[in-house]
Amino acid sequence: MADRDFLLPQRSTVRTMRERLVSPVRDFRIDALGAGAGPRPGGVRALAAALGLTMPVSVFADVPQAQPVLVFKLTADFRKDPDPRKVNLGVGAYRTDESQPWVLPVVRKVQQQIAANESINHEYLPILGLPEFRSNASRIALGDDSPAIKENRIGSVQGLGGTGALRIGAEFLRRWYNGTKNAATPVYVSSPTWENHNGVFSAAGFTDIRSYHYWDASKRGLDLQGMLQDMENAPEFSIFVLHACAHNPTGTDPTPEQWEKIASVMKRRFLFPFFDSAYQGFASGDLDKDAWAVRYFVNEGFELFCAQSFSKNFGLYNERVGNLIVVGKDGDNVLRVLSQMEKIVRVVWSNPPAQGARIVATTLSSPELFSEWRDNVKTMADRILLMRAELRSRLEALGTPGTWSHITDQIGMFSFTGLSAKQVEYLINEKHIYLLPSGRINMCGLTTKNLDYVATSIHEAVTKIQ
Amino acid sequence: MPTLSVFLDVPLAPKIGSKLLDEFKQDQNPNKVYLAYGVCMTGDGVPWLSPVVPKTLMKLANDPSFSYECQPEQGLDAFVRVTTELLVGRHSPAIVDNRVGGVQTIGGNGAIQLGAKFLKDWYPGSRSVYIQSAQKDQHGLIFQEQGFIIREYTIWDPYRLVSDVGKLIEVAEQAYDKSILVIYNPGSFVLPRKKWMKLSKTIKKKQIFLFFDVPHQGFLSGDPDRDSKILHYFVSHGFEFFCSQSLSNSFGLYDERTSNLVVVAMNNKALLCIRSQLTIYARYLWGSPPALGSRVITTVLSNPALRVEWKKSLRGMVENIMLTREKVKEKLRLLGTPGSWEHITQQDGIHSFLGISVDQVNYLVKKKHVYIPKSGQINFTCINSHNIDYIAQSINEAILAIGPGPEPREPPPKPPPSRPDSKDSKLLGIKAPGAKPSPFAALFRK
């Protein structure tokens, strides 16, 4: 930039009177004893105050305050609420029937094993992550008999939770996908979707983020026609973010037949599938069933990314365990993709954290621990299925207007109740039941103790407020 | 389905990772030594882990109330509080004024990442980042990705064989306005008072933004509070700055990537706004930071007994390093190795410059299987009782075989420019080095 060259400061060579005076030389060494040569107590601020001067202004005085995430605010409000009947249906984590977080027994066992293991080396993990974690995680998603694994055309990158995995995938695509279009490639996310999808792809540099039809509010189900139409109209090579199972926030998944239709349109239009798999095992209780969509696409010969998260199905929310799976046409392509991803990771976080990956790798590679984990996951999934059935039956027994079959048709942690914004407000303010303005509830917030209260409250909201 | 891959045009990126390490691994020689590990090693050749860590890990694993619930995006409040206090001191005026805070990040890398993004978006007018040559590969890339221009400087004077902090003054004087100055490992900086005042004045006048990088607090002097004393100075003199504090390195927990980006602002409102923006970057990069490392560190720092034990382990390591330095210097003296080796004991920390030439380094690597990077900067914890004799002998051989030993000397005079009033220097506004001001220049001075 030529204009920058003129902005160098002009060094003033004028000698002022002040500089010619000899100031007392005191060696200003900072040492532990702080021998009085240090700055006056209170420093500049006290001096300024004493002299009645105004404080210097921050160079960041114009930086605005950013908004916190809605879900966190909801939880904060819930915590402050003194009402004993309060129910939190907004948070995105599993809760037991006692409304407590649940550390999976297998996880606790493995954690103790790891803590007791004196020979663990705490050096930096490789940039792409713990190798045993990456291979096992990919195997879980794609299946032991996956043709892609057999043909050696998959790769994986350990990420900081599902978010980190999505981000690395997005950063790669923004740099290297779609010829010269790169950042201008349209990225389609479902309407509605997990709010961070927009943020992650946008932060990665994509400039054209669009939504595709997904939730049909009138029939409270999947708007397949709208979705397929959007895919037909999308420019070729657009990126589509698909939820592998247990769609967040609607809980509505395409059936296998519907997935087949989606895949055939995407194949014909050369659209790129970027799966987000955060709930494998959590949705139906069966790992293979929940991975059906991803495996179908792989069998159909697609090249795709899949961002896995183990936050929910291992209950390891705060250890940030995620994996980005890359499926390519052949091993050479995957190798090159991974080399570029390594370069990206090097700049973003350099090396991922070890604990969560160690726990998952240890569990998945031992047959007994693996089967214990499968049971733990089924426990969580079964409780959710039970709560769904119970809520629906109560609403139907109360004769609440409207159809409630979607409560049990939907799958996974979340349900789009179909409640309007006003009805949600009523529930929060009058009944101290916290849920998102979209009407999304977390099934795990329901317990055998509060089911009746919640059912009657929903009944009231629907009948009182139209 | 196209038969061609959508990744067809993706080029293979050059392998990341040290070529030196690869060569070392392939070397079959039984005497081979690698002196460039990034982590702190113990005398037995394994990475160091502070004894408080396994203890705390067991405690956490057996704690029935331990849960894996989601953390806030900026990390555990308790973690940020104790580590920020560790950096700026518990009685810091910044804490009293509530204008210092932090965000937990994924390693020092993550901290620089957040800081760089923030400065790109919210510090308009800044384009250059001044970073030490040794850090260019590590953190320079991050700033480059954000669109900054990287300019290198170095504190180590290869002629006088000292770390000359006064060079910072030169850097500050020649820096562009509103540029960013990344200062690595400032804990051992010592300057006469006048020079500090000059540096402060220059930095403030040019609105240079300071970004400190504290890679392993406690490893310079053995006392973490003493290592961060210099930052107390900057806080109390009204500076706003960022500091990347790599905590897990001070505990040996390298794989948990626990660090803190400390923000010192002018007032509480600015701090809150800055933190909220940093949180947004973190949200879309990693959601929230991993918990284990921060839990361990918070437990240790909040428990007086564990804290004392941790400090003791740090002191022990530092004493070992100092002892190793003394031994190396002594062995070289006993072998009659030509050159002055004072600089070995005058530097502190884990890494230090040997002061040998590139040819001598090559000799060591190729002929003696002693693997040292080209800069001659080695990790002193890699030297232990098993290999110290071999290393000293090898250095001796290298010096005797190739050229003179390191000897502090005056730097060569800067060559006078061929045309002192050339168009280029006029354009850039820099006085050509060595050119004396013309006696008539006084007539034209403003």
Side-chain angles (χ1 to χ4, degrees), chain A residues 2-264:
Chain A
D3 51 308
R4 300 300 305 185
D5 294 343
F6 294 97
L7 289 179
L8 264 187
Q10 304 299 315
R11 205 187 316 182
S12 163
T13 47
V14 174
R15 297 248 182 278
T16 63
M17 287 288 293
R18 221 179 315 131
E19 283 178 32
R20 283 208 294 211
L21 290 175
V22 174
S23 53
V25 173
R26 266 193 303 170
D27 224 0
F28 186 60
R29 278 172 207 280
I30 301 159
D31 57 17
L33 302 173
R40 71 194 89 241
V44 175
R45 301 181 68 83
L47 175 63
L51 295 176
L53 302 170
T54 48
M55 270 309 295
V57 165
S58 166
V59 293
F60 301 121
D62 295 328
V63 175
Q65 175 104 15
Q67 291 309 308
V69 171
L70 189 61
V71 167
F72 294 155
K73 181 167 183 315
L74 203 69
T75 305
D77 290 344
F78 168 79
R79 283 214 188 98
K80 284 188 273 195
D81 192 330
D83 195 299
R85 300 166 300 170
K86 63 181 181 177
V87 181
N88 188 357
L89 298 181
V91 75
Y94 177 80
R95 291 281 179 270
T96 61
D97 201 52
E98 286 82 39
S99 289
Q100 291 303 310
W102 191 51
V103 176
L104 274 61
V106 71
V107 167
R108 200 180 278 288
K109 194 188 288 190
V110 172
Q111 186 198 357
Q112 284 168 346
Q113 236 176 47
I114 292 178
N117 183 348
E118 311 236 315
S119 63
I120 287 193
N121 183 337
H122 286 282
E123 272 190 272
Y124 296 107
L125 283 188
I127 297 177
L128 292 179
L130 192 67
E132 308 87 76
F133 166 74
R134 291 161 54 207
S135 55
N136 277 301
S138 306
R139 195 174 48 83
I140 288 290
L142 301 180
D144 287 315
D145 52 355
S146 172
I149 297 185
K150 290 213 180 77
E151 291 157 25
N152 224 342
R153 50 187 183 88
I154 71 147
S156 49
V157 179
Q158 183 183 340
L160 275 276
T163 305
L166 279 168
R167 182 61 182 262
I168 298 298
E171 289 278 350
F172 172 85
L173 291 171
R174 190 258 299 166
R175 279 156 226 255
W176 297 109
Y177 176 69
N178 201 8
T180 48
K181 292 232 185 62
N182 297 147
T185 306
V187 176
Y188 283 81
V189 299
S190 68
S191 167
T193 190
W194 181 48
E195 55 271 354
N196 272 7
H197 279 154
N198 264 294
V200 168
F201 280 89
S202 167
F206 281 101
T207 52
D208 187 358
I209 303 180
R210 314 179 185 179
S211 59
Y212 59 87
H213 285 87
Y214 195 84
W215 170 250
D216 187 332
S218 51
K219 67 174 208 220
R220 293 189 182 170
L222 177 66
D223 178 7
L224 185 66
Q225 279 316 308
M227 183 174 174
L228 294 176
Q229 193 58 47
D230 285 334
M231 289 181 168
E232 294 283 359
N233 297 338
E236 287 186 347
F237 300 108
S238 298
I239 299 165
F240 270 76
V241 179
L242 305 167
H243 297 234
C245 70
H247 185 269
N248 178 0
T250 66
T252 302
D253 288 341
T255 62
E257 296 76 38
Q258 291 172 325
W259 273 121
E260 284 171 15
K261 291 203 180 96
I262 293 168
S264 99

Side-chain angles (χ1 to χ4, degrees), chain B residues 52-227:
Chain B
V52 294
V53 172
K55 217 184 276 194
T56 313
L57 284 173
M58 278 306 286
K59 201 164 107 167
L60 288 174
N62 293 323
D63 179 359
S65 70
F66 186 89
S67 91
Y68 287 99
E69 280 303 284
C70 242
Q71 282 197 322
E73 292 156 330
Q74 62 270 25
L76 264 184
D77 277 337
F79 168 78
V80 171
R81 198 173 28 85
V82 295
T83 50
T84 308
E85 266 177 24
L86 187 69
L87 192 77
V88 296
R90 191 170 301 175
H91 306 291
S92 170
I95 294 189
V96 170
D97 295 332
N98 206 354
R99 58 186 181 89
V100 65
V103 173
Q104 184 187 345
T105 63
I106 316 294
N109 226 74
I112 306 265
Q113 176 79 227
L114 292 193
K117 279 192 185 343
F118 179 85
L119 291 169
K120 187 72 196 141
D121 289 340
W122 297 107
Y123 196 42
S126 72
R127 292 235 25 227
S128 306
V129 172
Y130 290 84
I131 195 165
Q132 263 174 284
S133 305
Q135 298 307 305
K136 188 174 64 103
D137 292 325
Q138 188 98 323
H139 295 153
L141 272 180
I142 302 175
F143 285 100
Q144 220 164 24
E145 286 278 321
Q146 294 303 318
F148 289 101
I149 302 172
I150 307 297
R151 298 179 196 275
E152 293 175 44
Y153 71 92
T154 172
I155 302 241
W156 171 254
D157 188 338
Y159 300 104
R160 296 206 189 92
L161 297 176
V162 283
S163 278
D164 181 12
V165 184
K167 289 198 173 187
L168 276 179
I169 303 179
E170 281 170 36
V171 174
E173 283 176 347
Q174 287 173 9
Y176 286 90
D177 273 4
K178 285 199 156 193
S179 50
I180 299 163
L181 180 57
V182 180
I183 301 183
Y184 176 76
N185 220 356
S188 55
F189 287 5
V190 168
L191 265 190
R193 186 192 183 83
K194 263 178 84 171
K195 293 215 167 160
W196 272 123
M197 308 264 68
K198 189 166 175 204
L199 183 64
S200 289
K201 230 170 58 173
T202 317
I203 291 177
K204 282 209 167 135
K205 190 169 68 152
K206 294 189 155 184
Q207 293 195 292
I208 294 175
F209 188 79
L210 294 172
F211 201 146
F212 292 101
D213 185 357
V214 174
H216 24 244
Q217 196 176 348
F219 267 100
L220 290 172
S221 62
D223 180 4
D225 301 309
R226 191 167 168 168
D227 279 1

